[in-house]
Amino acid sequence: MTIDKAAGWLALIAILGGISRIGMTPSSYIWGGDSDQELICAFIANILMVIGTFGIYLKQIKESGKFGFISFLILELGLILVTCTVWSSMLHVDPWEWGIVKTMEITTGMLGLILFPIAGLKARVLPKWPCILMIAMLFVGPIPMLEKWVALLWGLSYIGMGYAVWSTRNRSSHSWH
């Protein structure tokens, strides 16, 4: 199996992660924030996104360089720590009791969600819109009445990046620009 084919199949997992992430938005409106339904969607999305991000990164590994690798590592660490804090919320343990871990989760999560799409824009392999959408969602979160839409935007950005990689898994040319 070639790297492009492996990246494509991992990107399919990213698409599934994006779909699960989108499920958080209606769950939070129907059952409330941090409901069991929303947390299950978040937990599944996080696990799938941790795996699927490998495919998105592999597709642009050469073009993204060291900056892309560092942003990938930061995003992966952030996603793993988010998964841990979601799991603790599912167990009804306050993640803030984790102290430094919660601080690291917020820091790496925000940094990864800013740096990874910037690396994607610089690499010019993926379409621009999912990268821009991922950055934009960080500015939507603090706006009252729109904070529940962050999961929808995040999911759409992963679906967009994942589809771009998955749909080109059998082609040698992989630039969207």
Side-chain angles (χ1 to χ4, degrees):
M1 179 178 290
T2 66
I3 295 280
D4 271 352
K5 283 187 180 181
W9 289 109
L10 288 168
L12 182 61
I13 295 171
I15 293 170
L16 295 174
I19 292 168
S20 183
R21 180 71 66 196
I22 288 172
M24 290 176 61
T25 299
S27 296
S28 66
Y29 278 113
I30 296 168
W31 293 287
D34 287 343
S35 64
D36 289 342
Q37 294 84 351
E38 184 189 25
L39 292 172
I40 289 168
C41 286
F43 188 70
I44 293 168
N46 287 335
I47 291 170
L48 294 173
M49 286 177 162
V50 165
I51 298 165
T53 302
F54 278 92
I56 296 167
Y57 172 67
L58 283 173
K59 188 65 170 184
Q60 58 187 353
I61 193 168
K62 292 175 192 166
E63 296 84 354
S64 63
K66 291 178 185 173
F67 178 70
F69 179 67
I70 291 168
S71 69
F72 164 73
L73 289 179
I74 292 170
L75 179 61
E76 284 291 287
L77 178 59
L79 286 170
I80 290 167
L81 291 174
V82 168
T83 305
C84 293
T85 57
V86 168
W87 179 250
S88 70
S89 294
M90 291 172 74
L91 296 175
H92 305 290
V93 175
D94 185 7
W96 286 101
E97 293 175 10
W98 291 24
I100 188 73
V101 174
K102 184 64 177 174
T103 304
M104 285 178 55
E105 178 243 335
I106 292 170
T107 304
T108 57
M110 296 300 265
L111 269 175
L113 291 170
I114 292 170
L115 297 178
F116 190 71
I118 290 172
L121 289 169
K122 287 177 68 174
R124 301 183 59 85
V125 173
L126 302 171
K128 292 178 184 176
W129 72 265
C131 298
I132 292 169
L133 188 61
M134 186 178 283
I135 295 168
M137 75 162 190
L138 298 171
F139 297 99
V140 170
I143 299 173
M145 304 290 291
L146 294 180
E147 69 273 357
K148 292 181 180 182
W149 288 84
V150 169
L152 174 73
L153 299 176
W154 193 355
L156 286 174
S157 69
Y158 257 79
I159 290 170
M161 289 186 289
Y163 182 76
V165 175
W166 183 78
S167 65
T168 61
R169 70 193 177 285
N170 292 323
R171 286 188 244 149
S172 58
S173 173
H174 58 271
S175 179
W176 280 79
H177 298 275

